[in-house]
Structures are given as structure tokens and as C-alpha cells.
Amino acid sequence: MDTKKLRQKILDLAIRGKLVPQDPNDEPASVLLERIKAEKEQLIKDGKIKRSKKSASSDTSPYENVPFEIPENWAWCKPSDVFIINHRNNAEDTIEVGFVPMPLIKDGYHYQHSYESVLWKTVKTGYTHFTNGDFGLAKITPCFENRKSVIFNNLPNGIGAGTTELHILRPIMIDVKYVSYFYSSEEFISYGIKNFSGAVGQQRISKEVIEDFGFALPPQKEQNRIIEAVEKWFSIIDQLEQEQTDLKNAIKRAKSKILDLAIHGKLVPQDPNDEPAIDLLRRINPSFKPCDNAHYKNLPFEIPESWVWVKHNDILEISGGAQPGKSYFSSVQLPNYIRLYQIRDYGDTPIPVYIPIELASKQTRKGDILLARYGGSLGKVFIAEDGAYNVAMAKIIFRYEQPINKDYVYYYYLSDIYQNKLKEISRTAQAGFNSNDFNEMFFPLPPINEQKRVVLEIKKYSELLDNIIAEL
């Protein structure tokens, strides 16, 4: 279930008058609109606000081609008639105001947000001012597209200030929660995106775009019913999202538990007919010494009799990546160029980079195991593609091919025995690791046939759990 789309559908039904039934006893929105206009005229007469150019120009309705149909007792109106837009208070310079920067504004699906604000002792000229109960709407990309908005509450001295990144709407006799639903709807967001202006990197929607898109005004009592219905449905969706989150966390824990059972020798039964791991190692290297003699007293845990503890670096080697200077990078594959893989290439937004093959000193083949060496990806394990790999990654090299299953090694690096070691040796994410950091790390090695059975069992459970995640 796409809960984000479900929220959007509810908002779109709400602003079309299709979420709750109409009540013929409600005061029509046309009457409410006249009362709003009268209140605004009084504010203008009292000198508290200025008459907007939109209101002064004409009273003729600009909505010959309305965005959508609304119920009979609703009314289309000009936003400049029912809102004070981008108001500037005549505040004293000594008043402390809360300044709310855009990064602290949350997405606009819920009507109320918590945020921290910094205090200014001076109200700066040219900044939009707002008070408790005003509605702030992002007007820059991508914040606008992501529906970032806020209903301001708990402002210092009841007044705040925002940069040119925000449009501020102060509704008159209209519940601000309904306002937030209207301006978070797909109908309005799509209209705003079509009317972005300015440079591609910092496009904006103008005040005129907000004013030109007609406001669908319900009767006051219906506004209350809409708010109650939206909050009820959003509360149910919140529960669904929490259940999804809880299930995803449970699946993550289940995967971790499966790996833990696997490296403890408890995921599949042992077969007495399997050749013990130590016998296979000694056939390959007669001088091989396991870690189960008196010299090793701090082995991590008990393993089955047919398994053997070995030092990580006795059977596996870590080879750090390399890359030439960026002047050699190409965004297209030229003749005799090879793909240089970076950590981001294993994420959702890969950016292809190619380098001359003679400068690709560290190459990998499809199926090789790569480890993230430092940074925010430290601890992640990747399956390589054909190409070269850069300094942020290390490739696993097998000292002995015969006694170790590559998939089993991959799952070993996903398990806690490796991940906990990283936490121990990496003081910071940027510190990362080198090959000698794993001299004293242990590897629980099962018989080769049991490794294969373990891998099959892990894959079976992983596929099942991944299917559950996909269904969400």
C-alpha cells in the first residue's frame, strides 16, 4: 500500500467536497465569503493591512474555467479576497521574533509540525512576518514539490519571520487546517509546478500563482467536518505506516538472526559424512594451523565439531581500491576505457565514470565481494560488476578457493562478527579500516558441503522476507 498516495487521495477528495456529505442546513459559502470580505474591508479601513492589487483591480470572477467542480453550497473565490498573503507586521525593532528557516519545515501532509527556531532581536526589513495560526508554504524547488508547509504555533511573542523561501497565508474566518489541506493537494501542487519560474537550480512559484489558482471555499461547518474526517483517516494511515515500519524492523532483525544462526552452526544440521573443515585445509596446506589450540583462549563462541576457527587473514585478503586523477574521468565509455565503480554506483542514483584501462590498477570481476572502507557506507557489502573499484572500497581475495564458498563469505561480512569488528576498529566513519586491522578477527569455517547448505537456507529465508517487504 502506497500510504503517501492514499493521503493525497484523501486530500483531493476533501477539496472537491467528496470526502464528507453536504448539509443543506449549513450557511452557504457565498454568505461566508461576503462576511470575510466585510472583515477584510474593516482591516483595510483600520489601517492594519493594505488593499491588494488583485482585490483593487476588479470584482469580476476570473474563474470561467474552474479547476474542478465543487458542491452547490461551496464557492470559488480569489485567494487575495480571503487571505492576507505575505503580510509584513509593523514590529518594533526590539521585539524578539522566531526565525524559521526552510530546512526546519516538514512535509505538508500533517497540519502541525514541531520545529526549532532561532531568535532575532531585530525584525529585518524585507522578510515576511507571520503570527501564530498563519500558514507557511514553500515556494522553491524541491521543497514545494515535496509539499513542505507549516502551521505556525508557539512563536516567541507570537510573531515570526521567514525568508523569501516561504509564502505566508493568513486566513480570515477559514480554518487554517483546511487551508493546509487545500494547498497540499495534488491539484494545486501540479498547477504550481507547471508555473515554476527562474533558474533551473532555484525555481520558484510566485505570489501570483497562489492568487490565480482559485480557492474552493466550503461552508464553515463543512470545513470542520472535513478536518475531522481527514484527521481520522490520517490517523489510520499513521497506524498503517507504523505497522509497516514495525514489520520492516522485525524483518531486519529476522535476517540478522538468520545470519547469526548460520555462523554459529545452528541454521542447518551437521552431516557426519561431511569432510571436517580442518582436514580439507590441511590437505591444501599441510602446515595450516587452526585457532583451536591453547594459544587461542578468546574464541567468540562455540562451533560444531566439524567446523574450525581460522584467522580471517589466513584465508582471506583485503585489497584496497585505487583510481587515477579526476582529469582522466569520462562520463561516457571511450575505446580502451573501463567503468570505475564507486560506492554510490551501488545505490539508487549511480553516476557512470570511466577511466583508461591502463590506469585501472585495481579491477574486479562480476560476483566479486566488495566492502565499503569508510564514510557513511562503512559496513556495507556489495557484489561487484566487471570494472575497476575506487579507494572507498576493498575487494576480498581468497587465499584458497577450494575450501570456501563465495556466498558463505558474503554472508559472513553481513553478520555481526564482522560488523561489530568494524565498530571496534573504526573510531570514526572516516577512519575506515586497513587489511591488517583483521589480523585478530576470527572466521568460523564449516565443511564445504555444509557451507553450501547454509547458503541455500539463507537464500530461501531471504527471498521469503524480501517478498514480504515487496508486498508492503
Side-chain angles (χ1 to χ4, degrees):
M1 180 183 295
D2 190 333
T3 53
K4 204 167 188 178
K5 286 184 179 178
L6 183 56
R7 289 183 192 277
Q8 196 56 62
K9 183 63 177 178
I10 290 168
L11 292 182
D12 288 342
L13 290 172
I15 68 166
R16 285 172 165 75
K18 296 180 179 180
L19 188 64
V20 299
Q22 282 70 52
D23 187 339
N25 297 316
D26 288 345
E27 175 190 74
S30 57
V31 178
L32 172 60
L33 184 57
E34 291 303 316
R35 290 197 291 113
I36 291 172
K37 288 183 178 180
E39 174 66 19
K40 193 165 187 179
E41 284 296 320
Q42 189 62 50
L43 292 172
I44 294 170
K45 183 178 179 181
D46 295 341
K48 294 182 178 179
I49 61 172
K50 294 181 180 180
R51 188 182 302 279
S52 72
K53 293 179 181 179
K54 284 278 184 181
S55 296
S57 61
S58 173
D59 288 329
T60 304
S61 172
Y63 308 118
E64 295 179 1
N65 298 310
V66 295
F68 47 83
E69 294 295 324
I70 55 175
E72 189 176 349
N73 60 348
W74 287 38
W76 282 108
C77 59
K78 292 182 285 187
S80 56
D81 286 335
V82 293
F83 301 124
I84 302 169
I85 303 177
N86 292 343
H87 182 57
R88 282 166 170 73
N89 295 309
N90 297 318
E92 298 285 342
D93 283 351
T94 55
I95 290 180
E96 289 188 335
V97 301
F99 172 63
V100 185
M102 180 57 64
L104 297 178
I105 306 298
K106 307 299 182 184
D107 69 80
Y109 285 115
H110 297 285
Y111 70 84
Q112 186 163 340
H113 309 274
S114 61
Y115 59 86
E116 299 172 1
S117 62
V118 294
L119 288 176
W120 281 355
K121 291 188 180 292
T122 303
V123 176
K124 294 191 175 183
T125 304
Y127 282 73
T128 298
H129 304 152
F130 43 81
T131 63
N132 286 321
D134 285 355
F135 174 69
L137 173 70
K139 63 178 180 179
I140 60 171
T141 54
C143 297
F144 176 81
E145 294 168 292
N146 292 331
R147 295 162 173 80
K148 286 186 177 291
S149 62
V150 65
I151 294 174
F152 297 104
N153 284 296
N154 302 318
L155 294 166
N157 295 323
I159 186 172
T163 68
T164 54
E165 297 172 341
L166 281 173
H167 282 302
I168 305 298
L169 302 178
R170 183 171 301 169
I172 303 171
M173 297 183 188
I174 304 173
D175 197 299
V176 70
K177 294 178 187 177
Y178 175 77
V179 174
S180 75
Y181 299 156
F182 187 87
Y183 285 108
S184 294
S185 70
E186 186 62 42
E187 195 75 38
F188 174 73
I189 296 294
S190 297
Y191 174 79
I193 291 173
K194 290 176 184 176
N195 288 276
F196 275 132
S197 61
V200 174
Q202 190 72 4
Q203 291 180 299
R204 298 170 179 269
I205 61 165
S206 66
K207 176 183 174 183
E208 287 69 32
V209 170
I210 290 181
E211 292 180 337
D212 289 343
F213 189 83
F215 186 78
L217 180 66
Q220 211 162 34
K221 289 185 177 179
E222 188 168 343
Q223 291 176 42
N224 296 335
R225 294 196 298 273
I226 289 171
I227 291 164
E228 183 179 353
V230 171
E231 290 183 339
K232 180 191 77 172
W233 284 112
F234 277 15
S235 176
I236 293 172
I237 295 172
D238 286 342
Q239 294 175 32
L240 289 173
E241 288 176 335
Q242 186 58 54
E243 289 173 3
Q244 286 185 344
T245 300
D246 291 345
L247 182 53
K248 287 178 180 178
N249 289 336
I251 288 173
K252 187 177 180 180
R253 291 193 298 270
K255 284 188 172 184
S256 179
K257 183 62 177 178
I258 290 167
L259 293 177
D260 185 62
L261 291 172
I263 66 170
H264 281 74
K266 297 179 179 179
L267 187 62
V268 297
Q270 281 70 54
D271 185 340
N273 296 315
D274 288 343
E275 179 185 30
I278 186 59
D279 291 349
L280 177 58
L281 283 172
R282 283 177 173 159
R283 279 199 297 108
I284 296 169
N285 180 6
S287 63
F288 190 90
K289 293 182 179 180
C291 300
D292 56 359
N293 56 41
H295 183 67
Y296 299 98
K297 296 181 179 179
N298 297 314
L299 294 172
F301 47 80
E302 292 289 329
I303 55 175
E305 188 175 349
S306 58
W307 291 36
V308 64
W309 280 110
V310 296
K311 279 189 174 182
H312 174 279
N313 287 6
D314 283 344
I315 58 172
L316 298 167
E317 181 181 341
I318 294 176
S319 176
Q323 65 188 59
K326 291 189 177 180
S327 60
Y328 292 98
F329 286 13
S330 171
S331 59
V332 295
Q333 188 165 15
L334 303 173
N336 297 317
Y337 269 60
I338 191 173
R339 176 75 180 268
L340 174 67
Y341 282 95
Q342 305 172 79
I343 287 175
R344 64 188 179 189
D345 291 318
Y346 291 91
D348 296 327
T349 55
I351 303 176
V353 169
Y354 301 90
I355 60 173
I357 195 166
E358 69 268 17
L359 299 180
S361 59
K362 294 298 181 74
Q363 295 185 26
T364 185
R365 292 286 175 259
K366 184 177 178 66
D368 284 347
I369 299 171
L370 295 175
L371 307 178
R373 291 185 63 187
Y374 53 75
S377 297
L378 181 67
K380 291 187 177 180
V381 189
F382 312 107
I383 299 298
E385 301 291 336
D386 289 337
Y389 59 103
N390 77 341
V391 294
M393 294 188 284
K395 184 173 78 169
I396 299 303
I397 298 174
F398 292 72
R399 295 186 185 276
Y400 309 105
E401 289 290 343
Q402 193 175 6
I404 310 178
N405 180 286
K406 185 176 288 187
D407 287 334
Y408 179 79
V409 174
Y410 170 76
Y411 291 126
Y412 164 82
Y413 286 114
L414 289 176
S415 72
D416 286 345
I417 195 169
Y418 168 73
Q419 298 293 331
N420 290 340
K421 183 66 175 179
L422 286 185
K423 295 174 185 177
E424 176 187 327
I425 64 177
S426 299
R427 293 180 298 278
T428 67
Q430 294 304 322
F433 62 81
N434 295 310
S435 59
N436 58 6
D437 289 321
F438 299 115
N439 283 332
E440 300 302 321
M441 189 164 76
F442 298 106
F443 189 99
L445 184 67
I448 185 63
N449 286 335
E450 186 170 344
Q451 293 176 44
K452 295 174 183 177
R453 295 196 300 273
V454 167
V455 166
L456 288 174
E457 197 73 358
I458 292 175
K459 287 182 176 180
K460 180 183 75 175
Y461 284 117
S462 294
E463 183 178 0
L464 173 63
L465 295 173
D466 288 342
N467 286 340
I468 294 173
I469 291 289
E471 289 297 323
L472 295 179

